[in-house]
Amino acid sequence: MLVILPPSETKSDGGELGPLDLDALSLPQLTAVRDKLITELIALAGDAAAARGALGLGKGADAEIARNAALRTSPTRPALTRYTGVLYDALAATSFTKTQRDRAFERLAIGSALFGVVRAADPIPAYRLSGGSKLPGLPTLSSIWKPVLVPALREETAGRLVVDLRSGTYQQLGRIPGAITATVLTERPDGTRTVVSHFNKHHKGLLARALVLTRSEPTTMRELAKVAEQAGLRVEIASSTELLVLT
């Protein structure tokens, strides 16, 4: 089983590992695109006004631009603990035992506008680039990533149950045919259901945590739903590829 998480805009500072080594990252088919985007981001960081415009940042975001300027020299840490925010708070990776952490490294991957997809153990620096950003003089990130990310993910996920928890923006960078998606819906007293962003991220984090902690290896939608239910989540199978998580 492979669970692909969305990234987050917020990321932890610093790192306990050395500078970025692209050859040390998973999915080496993506190295050339990763290298090109890093070069572009470093160059863009030299023009603060242009960087703010391209990255959708406010005037108080100099620290974010500085992160991009230092992409090749700043310390790294595993992607699992680089990303922060609501989903990652619910995942609570810092609470994992060594065995659970090893299982997380095996089962989790994370979408990224800069790296395409990384595995949870891949050492990466802090950076700022969103899936909807457009860098000056370049095509959209979707146009850049699709030709290489789709075949790379096809190879990486062959023969595995895939749970794709990325948002639509990141799925567009490289879709995985047949992957199971999760839709989080908040049910109101009158029975109507709606999407609430905070609950969406929180419950996807809880689902990912359940899929890390289970000792079983789900291979079907029904087995996946059973793991979620055993973890206390309320779920419904909407189709062969869509799991509803109700709050």
Side-chain angles (χ1 to χ4, degrees):
M1 174 176 58
L2 184 67
V3 182
I4 306 181
L5 304 176
S8 61
E9 296 288 7
T10 56
K11 300 170 185 70
S12 60
D13 289 315
E16 57 280 1
L17 303 174
L20 178 65
D21 177 3
L22 289 177
D23 291 334
L25 302 183
S26 303
L27 286 80
Q29 311 94 312
L30 309 180
T31 299
V33 175
R34 290 165 172 165
D35 187 55
K36 177 178 176 59
L37 290 177
I38 288 168
T39 297
E40 294 289 340
L41 277 183
I42 292 173
L44 181 62
D47 184 337
R52 285 194 292 268
L55 302 175
L57 301 173
K59 288 188 176 180
D62 289 349
E64 298 279 9
I65 297 171
R67 282 177 165 182
N68 285 352
L71 276 169
R72 295 194 189 275
T73 57
S74 59
T76 62
R77 64 166 42 109
L80 181 64
T81 51
R82 174 61 71 193
Y83 296 96
T84 60
V86 174
L87 185 149
Y88 290 90
D89 287 345
L91 177 62
T94 56
S95 72
F96 291 162
T97 65
K98 183 182 183 304
T99 297
Q100 291 165 346
R101 185 180 175 89
D102 290 344
R103 200 179 298 136
F105 284 164
E106 170 61 27
R107 291 181 175 177
L108 296 181
I110 302 166
S112 167
L114 181 56
F115 298 107
V117 167
V118 290
R119 297 300 294 269
D122 285 351
I124 60 172
Y127 68 91
R128 182 57 180 257
L129 183 66
S130 302
S133 300
K134 188 178 185 305
L135 299 180
L138 294 182
T140 64
L141 289 173
S142 178
S143 297
I144 292 171
W145 275 120
K146 265 184 190 175
V148 293
L149 187 54
V150 169
L153 286 174
R154 186 183 302 120
E155 182 178 342
E156 185 76 2
T157 61
R160 305 178 75 169
L161 179 73
V162 180
V163 183
D164 191 351
L165 301 182
R166 293 176 298 169
S167 64
T169 298
Y170 287 92
Q171 287 180 359
Q172 287 174 12
L173 301 184
R175 293 189 179 276
I176 307 170
I180 293 173
T181 61
T183 302
V184 180
L185 298 175
T186 296
E187 191 167 61
R188 295 171 174 162
D190 64 2
T192 60
R193 295 172 174 180
T194 186
V195 175
V196 178
S197 178
H198 175 86
F199 292 119
N200 176 58
K201 294 174 182 178
H202 178 73
H203 280 75
K204 282 185 176 180
L206 293 179
L207 177 60
R209 180 176 176 84
L211 296 176
V212 168
L213 297 185
T214 182
R215 293 192 179 103
S216 65
E217 188 69 41
T219 59
T220 67
M221 170 66 89
R222 290 196 177 280
E223 291 173 354
L224 180 71
K226 182 178 180 181
V227 169
E229 289 170 342
Q230 289 174 337
L233 294 171
R234 182 182 167 208
V235 300
E236 292 179 5
I237 297 174
S239 73
S240 61
T241 59
E242 184 183 18
L243 183 72
L244 298 183
V245 182
L246 304 176
T247 71

